[in-house]
C-alpha cells in the first residue's frame, strides 16, 4: 500500500530546540503510526522534502519548532496556506515556507494539504553557534506531540479533506487555521 500521508520532521539537531521535529520522529520509532502514514526525518534537507511533497500524498504534517509568541513547549497545529509567488524558492535549507515555494515551483501538480505541528522554542542559537540538545520545556513537548499525531493521523487517513479534528481548546486566537492539541486547555488554565 502506498502511503497517503507524510509526517515530516524538520530541523537542525545542532541548534538546540530546532531539533524538535527530528526528536519527535525518533520518538515515533517506539510508537509507530498506522499504515498509510510515511514517517521521515528530513533534518535540514529542504530539497528532499520539496520533491516528496510532489509524490502524490493527500496530506503532509510537518513537525517543526516555530516561534509563534507562546511559552516554550506550547504546541500549535496550523494549516499552512499556499505560498505566495513573492516567496523565493530555496533549494538548500529548511525554512518550511521556502520549501513549499520550491515544491510549487518544481511541480505542475497541486501540493498536498500541509499542516504544521509546531512547538514554541525556548532556545534557538544563531546559525554559527552549535548547541545540541532540547531545552526542558521543548523536551517535555515531544511526548505530547507524539500523542497528538496518534490522534491526528488516523483522522486524516480516514478523510484527508475533513476539517481538523477537535484536539482541544484553541490556544491561539485570531488565527483562522489554528487548533490546540491535547492538554492545551489544562496548561492554559495553569498559566492563568
Amino acid at each position: 500500500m502506498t502511503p497517503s500521508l507524510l509526517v515530516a520532521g524538520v530541523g537542525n539537531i545542532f541548534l538546540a530546540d530546532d531539533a524538535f521535529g527530528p526528536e519527535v520522529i525518533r520518538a515515533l520509532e517506539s510508537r509507530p503510526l498506522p499504515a498509510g502514514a510515511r514517517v521521515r526525518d528530513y533534518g535540514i534537507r529542504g530539497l528532499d522534502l520539496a520533491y516528496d511533497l510532489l509524490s502524490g500524498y493527500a496530506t503532509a504534517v510537518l513537525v517543526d519548532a516555530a516561534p509563534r509568541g507562546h511559552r516554550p513547549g506550547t504546541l500549535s497545529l496550523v494549516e499552512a496556506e499556499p505560498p505566495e509567488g513573492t516567496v523565493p524558492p530555496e533549494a538548500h535549507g529548511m525554512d518550511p515556507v521556502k520549501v513549499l515555494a520550491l515544491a510549487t515551483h518544481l511541480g505542475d501538480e497541486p501540493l498536498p494539504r500541509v499542516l504544521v505541528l509546531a512547538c514554541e522554542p525556548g532556545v534557538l542559537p544563531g546559525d554559527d553557534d552549535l548547541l545540541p540538545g532540547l531545552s526542558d520545556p521543548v523536551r517535555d513537548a515531544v511526548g505530547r506531540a507524539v500523542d497528538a499525531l496518534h490522534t491526528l493521523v488516523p483522522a486524516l487517513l480516514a478523510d484527508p479533506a475533513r476539517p481538523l479534528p477537535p484536539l482541544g481548546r484553541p490556544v491561539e486566537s485570531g488565527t483562522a487555521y489554528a487548533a490546540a492539541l491535547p492538554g492545551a486547555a489544562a496548561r492554559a488554565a495553569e498559566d492563568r
Side-chain angles (χ1 to χ4, degrees):
M1 176 167 102
T2 303
S4 63
L5 185 143
L6 175 66
V7 177
V10 298
N12 189 327
I13 62 170
F14 298 109
L15 297 180
D17 290 345
D18 196 47
F20 175 74
E23 286 296 324
V24 170
I25 298 306
R26 192 173 73 154
L28 284 169
E29 290 174 6
S30 62
R31 291 184 58 201
L33 292 171
R38 178 180 183 210
V39 177
R40 185 165 180 208
D41 176 8
Y42 287 87
I44 57 172
R45 296 182 322 275
L47 185 61
D48 291 347
L49 177 57
Y51 276 116
D52 281 353
L53 288 172
L54 299 170
S55 298
Y57 293 104
T59 312
V61 179
L62 308 183
V63 183
D64 193 13
R68 300 187 53 79
H70 300 292
R71 288 183 48 196
T74 300
L75 297 176
S76 302
L77 181 63
V78 181
E79 185 151 358
E81 296 184 38
E84 296 179 18
T86 59
V87 176
E90 182 179 285
H92 304 287
M94 187 45 99
D95 177 333
V97 173
K98 291 181 179 181
V99 169
L100 293 175
L102 178 60
T104 301
H105 178 76
L106 290 172
D108 295 329
E109 55 278 341
L111 293 180
R113 180 182 189 190
V114 178
L115 306 174
V116 180
L117 178 57
C119 180
E120 184 73 32
V123 178
L124 283 179
D127 289 340
D128 294 334
D129 301 321
L130 298 180
L131 184 61
L134 299 176
S135 66
D136 289 340
V138 173
R139 182 178 296 105
D140 292 343
V142 169
R144 293 192 322 272
V146 170
D147 292 341
L149 288 168
H150 275 275
T151 300
L152 180 64
V153 167
L156 292 171
L157 286 171
D159 181 5
R162 73 181 286 173
L164 293 178
L167 297 175
R169 182 174 148 258
V171 293
E172 298 176 355
S173 59
T175 304
Y177 296 101
L181 299 172
R187 287 188 303 283
E190 291 173 1
D191 294 344
R192 292 182 193 165

